[in-house]
Amino acid sequence: PTVTFDVPTLYDVYREVHGSPPTGLIWETALATGPKLDTLTRTYHLPPGTPGELVAVWRDAMVRVAKDPGFVSDWQRIIGPDVSAVIVPPDQAERIVAEFFTPAPWYKFFQKFVAALTR
């Protein structure tokens, strides 16, 4: 049997508690970062400087596990969606991480603006 959860979203809870939809900088930040972070919720991280051949072994192992019929069956029974839908190829994961940690173009201007206000 598939396990399903009837859990309200953050949006729904906020509306119920506050009587209006969420707005503002924190909400906009959550909307901007949430989808990118969601794609990386089940990741393996290796220490910086890990030799490329070891990184390749880990990547190959993850691909093989995701194709293993027993793993796929357990995944679908416990998690629900098809595991192939949540597999993020390494190059795409690296791009997502780089994008996430690269400041937006306006960020330096914002830093200068805040610094000018606090002088």
Side-chain angles (χ1 to χ4, degrees):
T2 299
V3 177
T4 59
F5 300 96
D6 185 18
V7 179
T9 65
L10 178 61
Y11 180 89
D12 295 332
V13 171
Y14 189 98
R15 280 192 70 153
E16 185 174 322
V17 169
H18 297 283
S20 62
T23 60
L25 183 60
I26 293 174
W27 179 248
E28 294 301 320
T29 302
L31 291 177
T33 59
K36 286 183 181 180
L37 289 178
D38 191 46
T39 62
L40 302 176
T41 57
R42 295 172 188 92
T43 58
Y44 287 88
H45 300 274
L46 300 172
T50 299
E53 30 320 328
L54 292 179
V55 172
V57 168
W58 270 98
R59 287 178 174 175
D60 180 59
M62 295 302 101
V63 168
R64 285 187 286 123
V65 165
K67 291 179 181 178
D68 178 83
F71 175 81
V72 171
S73 175
D74 286 346
W75 175 279
Q76 290 173 335
R77 180 176 49 81
I78 297 166
I79 305 294
D82 181 11
V83 70
S84 65
V86 296
I87 298 296
V88 178
D91 59 330
Q92 184 180 351
E94 288 174 358
R95 185 174 39 78
I96 291 168
V97 169
E99 287 173 5
F100 186 76
F101 288 106
T102 300
W106 54 265
Y107 186 71
K108 286 186 180 183
F109 171 79
F110 182 71
Q111 284 180 313
K112 290 177 185 176
F113 175 76
V114 169
L117 290 177
T118 57
R119 288 185 197 168

